[in-house]
Amino acid sequence: MTVRHRRTGRRLPAHHLRRTARGKSEQSADYSFGACLRDVDVVLDATGAERPIVVGWSYGAALALHWATRNPDRVAGVVMVDGGYPWDYLATVEGGRDAGREQIRTMFRRFGWALPLVRPLGMAARMSADQHAEVNIELNEIVAESGPVFDLVTFPMRFLVATGASLGGTAEGLAAMRATLDPVLARNPHVRFSATVASKHTTIVRKDFHAIAAAVREVADVQHDALD
């Protein structure tokens, strides 16, 4: 879907990840991280977008990081909306990574009954509880190894951080996850905080869209100053 900003006339392609769209389009059997990365190329090619500012929330933030660092000449900047933190969650679970994987599977099976109810709100994909779990496990494994990926960021990147609660997460765990960004900020001047908001992870896009827009403007201003 593409919308046009009424004041500036700029086009805003809005891309739903596989199996998360609310329409009735055909569903892909491949919902891997790699497939979603390829979809970004397809969307940008189809819309003709040149050097966009890529905005990603949650899983989409990790996608934005990996796609942009693989295509630095095609992107003007990135806004990371409470996601993509280089946190090795599986290593924090008592019993190790295998225990962490089983913990994730158990959590999604426990809440599987609720997935169809929250799906219309954009809070779940058209997948089973087991599929949700495997996607989450793959994401955890990818972000755990993403620390060095941030060193490849040569374009402006801004983080918007939610401080509210998150399903399946503790306050201590969320604080530890967000703290993993500190070394990145210290060593790469291209990566900066834009704002911290009180919203929950699941409501930040709906409640703090003004803060997201402000982060986009920050990135745009950096690019504008670089061209002057």
Side-chain angles (χ1 to χ4, degrees), residues 163-180:
T163 57
S166 178
L167 179 65
T170 64
E172 295 78 9
L174 294 172
M177 175 185 71
R178 289 154 184 158
T180 60

Side-chain angles (χ1 to χ4, degrees), residues 10 44 49-55 64 67-69 71-79 153-158 190 215-227:
R10 293 175 178 170
L44 293 181
E50 296 182 2
R51 292 183 58 78
I53 296 173
V54 179
V55 181
W67 183 86
T69 52
N71 300 274
D73 295 334
R74 296 186 61 189
V75 68
V78 171
V79 174
V153 174
T154 56
F155 41 80
M157 173 179 282
R158 296 295 181 267
H190 297 291
V216 171
R217 287 193 293 270
E218 287 180 34
V219 171
D221 288 344
V222 172
Q223 284 295 315
H224 182 269
D225 292 343
L227 294 173

Side-chain angles (χ1 to χ4, degrees), residues 58-149:
S58 193
Y59 187 102
L63 282 175
L65 168 68
H66 281 263
W67 183 86
T69 52
R70 298 178 192 190
N71 300 274
D73 295 334
R74 296 186 61 189
V75 68
V78 171
V79 174
M80 306 278 282
V81 183
D82 204 40
Y85 303 98
W87 188 39
D88 190 356
Y89 165 74
L90 297 177
T92 70
V93 177
E94 184 177 356
R97 287 183 171 82
D98 285 341
R101 294 182 184 96
E102 286 306 311
Q103 183 185 82
I104 290 172
R105 293 183 181 110
T106 299
M107 183 190 72
F108 275 100
R109 288 167 184 161
R110 181 181 304 145
F111 292 104
W113 63 270
L115 295 177
L117 302 179
V118 300
R119 190 174 298 142
L121 304 176
M123 296 172 62
R126 284 186 276 180
M127 296 187 290
S128 67
D130 286 343
Q131 288 172 324
H132 273 91
E134 295 310 312
V135 166
N136 192 276
I137 290 169
E138 182 191 33
L139 177 63
N140 274 281
E141 292 171 342
I142 288 170
V143 298
E145 302 295 331
S146 66
V149 182

Side-chain angles (χ1 to χ4, degrees), residues 31-49:
Y31 47 88
S32 66
F33 192 83
C36 291
L37 276 177
R38 293 190 293 273
D39 286 345
V40 178
D41 285 309
V42 172
V43 170
L44 293 181
D45 289 342
T47 59

